[in-house]
Amino acid sequence: MEFVQFQINYLDWESEWVQSRACYEVAVKHGKPVIVMEPVKGGTLANLPEDAKKLFKDCDPEMSIPSWAVRFAASLENVMVVLSGMSSLEQMDNNTSYMKEFKPLSDDEKDMCFKAAEIINNQIAIPCTACSYCTEGCPMKIAIPKYFSLYNENMREDMAKKGWTINFTNYGNLVNSGFGKASDCIACGQCEGVCPQHLPIIENLKKVAAHFEN
């Protein structure tokens, strides 16, 4: 092969499911150029918890939050292209602004990215990127990524204090619109077979059901 394409970002660098670092190092060992996908992890690294966001803004208030994720990937030796999904002209202008005269991250800046990842990981219950590969073949039509997103949002809340959030209503609305409930899962394993993150989706759906349906 002439090159390889991996999901690489600072949040997945040491992920036991994605193993960005391990895959990248194998490519480097064999001298294969790397194309990076998901540098901002489906937008996750553009919308950070306040503590993580503060790390970057204190370092350089002029740089956008997602720029750190793109620059982290682009700073790796052997990376030939970084694929960044963009949904507006503003995002494209931002990406090109710091990539025209690209400056790799310093070791201290890379360490800052890993500190941000630690903060994020402490707040994400289910590290789903909402790629939706799992939903097309689901026989029960379960809105897996949507349910995981609602669950993750609630897990960032002080549920013992709040007791209820709008996400309980959002969950019910999704079910009423024709999607299967999390508890409708028949554990066929189709979703886990196509998940790029190799997530234990069946067990996670049990957590979602216990949270939203009881």
Side-chain angles (χ1 to χ4, degrees), residues 49-198:
E50 287 303 318
D51 289 351
K53 188 184 299 183
K54 187 175 185 300
L55 286 176
F56 296 123
K57 286 303 181 183
D58 286 350
C59 179
D60 189 339
E62 299 301 316
M63 295 299 298
S64 68
I65 297 302
S67 73
W68 291 95
V70 176
R71 290 168 63 214
F72 173 85
S75 295
L76 298 170
E77 295 181 11
N78 231 47
V79 167
M80 60 184 292
V81 176
V82 178
L83 305 175
S84 175
M86 293 166 279
S87 57
S88 70
L89 183 60
E90 180 183 5
Q91 291 176 4
M92 186 177 72
D93 287 340
N94 178 250
N95 278 350
T96 55
S97 69
Y98 57 80
M99 292 300 288
K100 284 179 180 177
E101 297 181 9
F102 179 68
K103 180 182 178 182
L105 297 185
S106 67
D107 288 342
D108 286 343
E109 289 172 329
K110 289 178 183 177
D111 287 342
M112 183 172 58
C113 289
F114 295 138
K115 288 178 182 177
E118 185 176 352
I119 293 171
I120 298 166
N121 280 325
N122 287 337
Q123 298 189 26
I124 295 180
I126 304 174
C128 170
T129 64
C131 69
S132 295
Y133 294 160
C134 58
T135 56
E136 184 175 350
C138 177
M140 307 308 292
K141 295 182 170 57
I142 300 172
I144 297 170
K146 289 182 173 66
Y147 291 166
F148 287 173
S149 178
L150 295 177
Y151 182 77
N152 282 338
E153 287 183 22
N154 269 16
M155 291 304 100
R156 294 189 184 106
E157 302 281 358
D158 186 351
M159 294 306 299
K161 181 178 180 180
K162 283 194 170 184
W164 181 90
T165 73
I166 191 62
N167 287 324
F168 284 92
T169 297
N170 293 337
Y171 179 84
N173 288 340
L174 284 168
V175 172
N176 292 334
S177 67
F179 291 108
K181 301 190 300 293
S183 61
D184 290 337
C185 175
I186 59 174
C188 67
Q190 181 275 339
C191 54
E192 295 187 357
V194 298
C195 177
Q197 317 297 324
H198 306 295

Side-chain angles (χ1 to χ4, degrees), residues 6-22:
F6 294 133
Q7 175 169 317
I8 295 180
N9 55 71
Y10 64 75
L11 188 59
D12 289 327
W13 191 243
E14 299 294 350
S15 165
E16 63 179 294
W17 298 290
V18 183
Q19 299 186 39
S20 288
R21 178 182 59 79

